[in-house]
Amino acid sequence: MNRNDKQAYDRGTSLFSPDGRIYQVEYAREAVKRGAPVVGVRTTDGVVLAAQRSSPSTLMETKSIEKIHKLDDHLGAASAGHVADARKLVDFARTTSQRERLRYGEPMGVEALTKAITDNIQESTQSGGTRPYGASLLIGGVENGSARLFATDPSGTPQEWKAVAIGGRRNDIQAALEAGYTEDLSLDDGVTLALSALREADDELTASEVSAVTLSEDGFVTLDEETIAEAFADATPDSDEE
Amino acid sequence: MNRNDKQAYDRGTSLFSPDGRIYQVEYAREAVKRGAPVVGVRTTDGVVLAAQRSSPSTLMETKSIEKIHKLDDHLGAASAGHVADARKLVDFARTTSQRERLRYGEPMGVEALTKAITDNIQESTQSGGTRPYGASLLIGGVENGSARLFATDPSGTPQEWKAVAIGGRRNDIQAALEAGYTEDLSLDDGVTLALSALREADDELTASEVSAVTLSEDGFVTLDEETIAEAFADATPDSDEE
Amino acid sequence: MNRNDKQAYDRGTSLFSPDGRIYQVEYAREAVKRGAPVVGVRTTDGVVLAAQRSSPSTLMETKSIEKIHKLDDHLGAASAGHVADARKLVDFARTTSQRERLRYGEPMGVEALTKAITDNIQESTQSGGTRPYGASLLIGGVENGSARLFATDPSGTPQEWKAVAIGGRRNDIQAALEAGYTEDLSLDDGVTLALSALREADDELTASEVSAVTLSEDGFVTLDEETIAEAFADATPDSDEE
Amino acid sequence: MNRNDKQAYDRGTSLFSPDGRIYQVEYAREAVKRGAPVVGVRTTDGVVLAAQRSSPSTLMETKSIEKIHKLDDHLGAASAGHVADARKLVDFARTTSQRERLRYGEPMGVEALTKAITDNIQESTQSGGTRPYGASLLIGGVENGSARLFATDPSGTPQEWKAVAIGGRRNDIQAALEAGYTEDLSLDDGVTLALSALREADDELTASEVSAVTLSEDGFVTLDEETIAEAFADATPDSDEE
Amino acid sequence: MNRNDKQAYDRGTSLFSPDGRIYQVEYAREAVKRGAPVVGVRTTDGVVLAAQRSSPSTLMETKSIEKIHKLDDHLGAASAGHVADARKLVDFARTTSQRERLRYGEPMGVEALTKAITDNIQESTQSGGTRPYGASLLIGGVENGSARLFATDPSGTPQEWKAVAIGGRRNDIQAALEAGYTEDLSLDDGVTLALSALREADDELTASEVSAVTLSEDGFVTLDEETIAEAFADATPDSDEE
Amino acid sequence: MNRNDKQAYDRGTSLFSPDGRIYQVEYAREAVKRGAPVVGVRTTDGVVLAAQRSSPSTLMETKSIEKIHKLDDHLGAASAGHVADARKLVDFARTTSQRERLRYGEPMGVEALTKAITDNIQESTQSGGTRPYGASLLIGGVENGSARLFATDPSGTPQEWKAVAIGGRRNDIQAALEAGYTEDLSLDDGVTLALSALREADDELTASEVSAVTLSEDGFVTLDEETIAEAFADATPDSDEE
Amino acid sequence: MNRNDKQAYDRGTSLFSPDGRIYQVEYAREAVKRGAPVVGVRTTDGVVLAAQRSSPSTLMETKSIEKIHKLDDHLGAASAGHVADARKLVDFARTTSQRERLRYGEPMGVEALTKAITDNIQESTQSGGTRPYGASLLIGGVENGSARLFATDPSGTPQEWKAVAIGGRRNDIQAALEAGYTEDLSLDDGVTLALSALREADDELTASEVSAVTLSEDGFVTLDEETIAEAFADATPDSDEE
């Protein structure tokens, strides 16, 4: 299909193209790719979420570039894409998990929360008067003793992953994850894998440009810059060998 | 009708073309064909639903690619097409069948549930402000002792089938079903037929890429990978003979 | 008026063309013609409704191709055109006749029901935000001892007929009805006329591809395939003689 | 103004053209002209309404082609144009006159009812989201002992007439009415004038293709075919003399 | 600005053109000019409203062409332009003045009523979903012993006049009013001036084609045809002298 | 940016152009410039508002061309631009100041009222379904003993001025104000400045074509024509000297 | 992407372009750049906000050009871009912080308030029927003893800064801030840095054209012109040395 034909169908969320695609959803996926990458790794003990954040100025507080979000004691999310859209999804996730906790007296499951979010996203792709969300989330946590890691996409599809990258340079990072992943990773191994995969695709990345958390029986734990720097040090030799 | 003329009518769900067609519904059918195929077979003892699920990465949990959905103890669905749209239809089906069970104290019939779903789909094709669903469902179950198997399509038409395939490679699989179907199939025969038909159209398909359930007096039973592998083994010689 | 001029007016149900036509309604009539034909014949004793149903696969349950619909004990409808739209009109008809029966303690008249349906159809042709219905109904029944037969069309016009065909090959079948109709037809004669007219226009039609009902003092009676086959046998010589 | 310029303004009921016209209303008038004609004649004793109805098939019940409508004991209407639109206006008229009768305990006046209808029509020409009505009504009745005859048009303008024709061949019939009308017509004379005027413009018209009523102190009286045939016989010589 | 540029801005009531005009309002003014003219004259004793009404057929009741409308005992209006729109404005005026009378126990002032009407008109020019009114009103009456005469226009601007014409041939009639107006006109002089001005611009106008009222301490008084004929006779010599 | 590019962005109030402008707001400013000018001057004792009003006919009551509006005992406004839009803003201002007075038992401040009005104007430039107001107001009054003078514009921006002109010939009049303004003007000086500035730009202007008010501790005082004529006489020599 | 392609996607806030951008948001950023610049500097003792305001006339009260806004005792904002849009955001900020204070009995935090504002901005970029805000805010204050400084942008993204400029000449001013900023700035140093950075980019800027406030334990303190002039004097030598 040439460009003129395509343009006829890509200006409404309520339209299918003749080959059955919804272009606005596909363009929203491009918005996700424009964002800095985030990575998730599921390990035997918990989930690692790591994100690159790059600042346009030395005077910006990089900690205000929120890429990783605490949703509940045991639930976290990492986001890529249009920042304001991601914030709206994260707000939705927090409100939903808190309401569930109040209603049932126990924390909401990772899968249940992911599906509540993707239902909300799907709605934005079918009803008129709104555009899709230009952001995707990784959602991780421990649920009944098991680590779970999910991703959402702008079409509203939930997917469960062992390890996954979304956002810019996604393909390179995912390849590094596939090369390094094993089923018996410890949480510390997971941190090393996540950070080395991020660096694989951008070898100038420094510890100060990365944020990372672990979600385990110890809850939502933010890694300090020193820990990240150490993991980078650990990761580099492995990375060289590959 | 040439392409320019066609484009004049295919950008609104509320429009007929001069030859009486609703193009957005037809394009939604293309969205269904873009999805991995699912198969349903009705046997003397129950219904078999089987689906192919293919993963974009070795790190994705293929079990999270939901192609087969439990709707109630005795009711299941298999979906093809736009995944998020299918999830919305499945949610509608679950809510509807639960409400009916609560109201009348007995499970909802397969036909009644199918028609509630297709009424909902039809609405999306006539009212403005929304697009049709880019997904179709097979709905199977046992109702008053009889196995029933229905399909929905994006226009909102319900159809009852003895055996049917929807989604990608639909024509090849349907041909295999027509060649192999007999009225006196046992549930085990049905499993073999469903899986061999899926494989007919893609001979590199492995057991791990397939999910299947049976709906019978024993309720909603998920087949484990070993059973599927055995059925594949059973199926292959038959397949060779044809 | 050439094609370019026409296209300027045919994309909205809320628009008249310069010569006073509503093109979307006319295109909806084309949708009716795309459907398999249905026939109605009014006789001295009741009304006959007959329909052709053709299946895309030997594995589809042809009985699930609903062309004839019971509305109440004494009321039936046959539909042609967009199947999902027809189902919605039939649902409206059933709800309306049941509500009337509850309210007044007696069955709703054929004419009153037809007009309630056509009022509903007209609304879809004047208000924005919706398209017309791409389906037409024949509505038959016995009312105060008299057989009545009505047709609806996509503009919302009700018409009473002695015998009428709608849907595909409508002109040929209507010609056969006009040639064979007499005022003193018995119900059995009516069945023969309806079926021979259907066959007139498609001489390969078999009894299994046809469904038919009678509406008389005996209520809504579905003809079995054997009866239809006999009527075909009866009909053929007559047909030859013409 | 050439055609391209005109097309810029004629696709919305909410638009004036540069010369101050509302094209959609003018096109709705064309829809009225597409319908079979109806005639009204006001006499000293009451009002005559007459209509031509032509059937597309010998099997259609011409009596179901409703051109003349009883609104109340003393009020009737004849309609031309889009049949389903006319039915909606007639339903509005019936509901309005019944509500007035219930509220005030006496029948609604012909002029008051006409203005309620034209207010309703005007609304359809100014608000968005709807099209004008493609139908006009003649409304006749006896009010405080005087015969009154009004016409509506698609702009929502009420007009009182001594004798008037709307619908197809309107100009020819109106000319015949102007030639034959006198102030002292009896009701019988009015019937003759109305029918001869209809026939003037179509000399192949037969009594069975015409329906007529009188509205007088005797209420709404439908003329039988014999009476119409006699009036035709009476009318013809006069017609020849002209 | 050439025509193509202009067309870009004249199809919505919610749009300014680059030179700050609202074309739909200007086109509505053209609709007013298409109507037959009406005239208002303010005198020392009251206000005169006069209107030309021309009938398309000798069989139309010219009195049903409502150009002059009683609003309350002491308030009247004359209208020019789209008849159905004028009727809606007059209905609004009547409802408003009656509500005010009920609320405050005294009649509504001419200026207050005019401004309520123009507020309503302005609304139609700013909000989407509606078109402006294609009609203007002259509103006259006696308020606290003083005669007042106002005009509305399609933009919603109220203006007070000593003597004014709106509708067709407006410029010619206004010139005649300016030539003949003096501050000390009696009510009878005002009638003569109003009628002679109407005739100035159309010397074939007859008394039967004109309607006129006076609004004074004697309330709303309709002039009979004889009085109008006399005024025409009085007026003609004056007219010749000019 | 050439004209074709510009047209792509100027037809909706909800659109920014690529260079960050809202064209509909800028076109509304043109509507203000099409109106007759009004002037405001702040003095040590109060505020002067003056306006030119030109009549299309000697028979129009120029006093009905409302350019200056009393809002409350101590608050006045002068308007330029689309008359009906200005009336709507003035109505809003009156309602707002009265409600505030009722609620708090004291008059509303000039600045607070101006900001309530500009908030209302801003809303019309951001929400769909409406166009901006094609009118601007000068709002003057005495607040806590100090004279205050504000202007609104179609974007909804409030500005405080010592002396300002809006509407037609605005630039010439503003230059005259800048040339003649001093901080120690008395109210009488302010009247002379305001009127001479109006006349500066149109030396044929007569006292009868001007209206003016002062807002001081004496409240809202309308200047009679004689006072205006005297001020014109006073002003002329000064004007000659410049 | 060439201009024609781009235009296809930039006229709706609900649309992504094929490369995942929302053009209306980017154009709103241009509206911010059209405004006069504002600067924020975070110091050890508090936050400095400074703004340039330029007047179109010597008669405008520059103090009415509101660039810096008090939100609460301890919270202030500076705005750049479309003035009326900025006012609406400031009103929202005031209402929100007051409601929070009432609800919780303590002042709202700087970060929490910023995020409430950006959520509101995001909404305007996703829902139909509105355009984005063409304004950005700097929000500063002391929260739990720490100075905080945030910026919003038209996409609804919150960012925390040590020192930042928005609006016209932003890049030059930001470079000056980056050159002069140190972590140990006192509040007085911050004033000097903010003003010198503003002047860096426009060396003709005078003290009277600048407004500035400090937010510290002493609350919201407006700097008088003398203080600003002194800071300018202090700043100039430093500026020369660079």
Side-chain angles (χ1 to χ4, degrees), chain F residues 20-102:
Chain F
R21 297 162 69 188
I22 306 172
Y23 281 111
Q24 274 294 308
V25 169
E26 303 196 3
Y27 296 171
R29 287 199 181 103
E30 293 302 313
V32 176
K33 289 186 195 158
R34 294 174 71 90
V38 297
V39 171
V41 175
R42 190 182 77 191
T43 71
T44 52
D45 308 319
V47 172
V48 181
L49 298 176
Q52 175 178 346
R53 49 187 186 193
S54 53
S55 173
S57 159
T58 58
L59 295 181
M60 186 188 280
E61 287 286 357
T62 49
K63 78 171 190 285
S64 80
I65 307 171
E66 291 182 308
K67 297 285 290 181
I68 301 189
H69 319 262
K70 184 172 181 179
L71 302 181
D72 198 345
D73 288 347
H74 64 299
L75 280 169
S79 56
H82 195 65
V83 176
D85 286 11
R87 277 185 44 78
K88 192 171 172 188
L89 287 176
V90 167
D91 282 349
F92 176 83
R94 284 180 180 144
T95 308
T96 302
S97 63
Q98 282 168 24
R99 197 179 48 226
E100 287 287 297
R101 182 188 276 279
L102 281 171

Side-chain angles (χ1 to χ4, degrees), chain F residues 98-126:
Chain F
Q98 282 168 24
R99 197 179 48 226
E100 287 287 297
R101 182 188 276 279
L102 281 171
R103 196 174 286 170
Y104 302 111
E106 58 185 38
M108 193 174 188
V110 187
E111 184 168 1
L113 178 57
T114 301
K115 289 184 175 174
I117 296 166
T118 53
D119 287 353
N120 182 21
I121 294 171
Q122 192 276 347
E123 197 65 29
S124 76
T125 75
Q126 191 171 22

Side-chain angles (χ1 to χ4, degrees), chain B residues 33 52 58 63 75 78 85 118 121 126 129 184 189 210 227 229:
Chain B
K33 289 187 194 156
Q52 175 178 347
T58 57
K63 78 171 191 285
L75 281 169
D85 285 10
T118 52
I121 294 171
Q126 190 171 19
D184 59 354
D189 296 339
V210 171
T227 310

Side-chain angles (χ1 to χ4, degrees), chain G residues 222-234:
Chain G
T222 305
L223 275 61
D224 54 27
E225 193 173 324
E226 193 175 348
T227 309
I228 293 172
E230 284 170 17
F232 265 13
D234 290 355

Side-chain angles (χ1 to χ4, degrees), chain E residues 39-49 71 74-78 108-115 137-151 158-164 181 187 214-217, chain F residues 59 61-66:
Chain E
V39 172
V41 175
R42 190 183 76 191
T43 71
T44 51
D45 308 319
V47 172
V48 182
L49 298 176
L71 302 181
H74 64 298
L75 281 168
M108 193 173 188
V110 187
E111 183 168 1
L113 178 58
T114 301
K115 290 184 174 174
L137 299 186
L138 301 184
I139 301 164
V142 177
E143 180 178 353
N144 299 327
S146 300
R148 308 288 298 272
L149 171 66
F150 285 84
Q159 295 171 330
E160 186 164 12
W161 291 86
K162 294 169 184 169
V164 66
Y181 188 81
L187 197 55
T214 57
L215 290 143
S216 66
E217 293 298 331
Chain F
L59 295 181
E61 287 286 357
T62 49
K63 78 171 190 285
S64 80
I65 307 171
E66 291 182 308

Side-chain angles (χ1 to χ4, degrees), chain A residues 154-170:
Chain A
S155 78
T157 305
Q159 295 172 328
E160 186 164 12
W161 292 86
K162 296 169 182 169
V164 66
I166 56 175
R169 309 193 323 272
R170 177 213 145 105

